Amino acid sequence: MPDLGKYGDTVMTAYAASVVLLLLLVGLSLWRGRKVRAEMTRVEQRIKRDG
């Protein structure tokens, strides 16, 4: 990694914040996907049952 001098802390903080936000977005997307998939399964089962 290049020597960032007095900006090293700022750059590393920005990198860390970016990684945290990306992980948060991925986690929320996966959580939402599971929730939607479960709801779709319930709707499909209700349609099959009710005709």
Side-chain angles (χ1 to χ4, degrees):
M1 180 157 94
D3 181 26
L4 301 173
K6 67 179 181 177
Y7 302 107
D9 291 340
T10 304
V11 171
M12 295 309 291
T13 302
Y15 282 155
S18 297
V19 168
V20 167
L21 289 173
L22 283 171
L23 291 173
L24 182 62
L25 281 172
V26 168
L28 287 173
S29 295
L30 291 172
W31 176 73
R32 176 78 173 139
R34 282 192 212 107
K35 187 176 175 183
V36 168
R37 185 177 301 127
E39 181 64 26
M40 287 174 53
T41 301
R42 282 193 293 270
V43 169
E44 288 174 352
Q45 288 174 350
R46 189 177 67 213
I47 289 172
K48 285 179 184 177
R49 185 184 65 225
D50 294 342

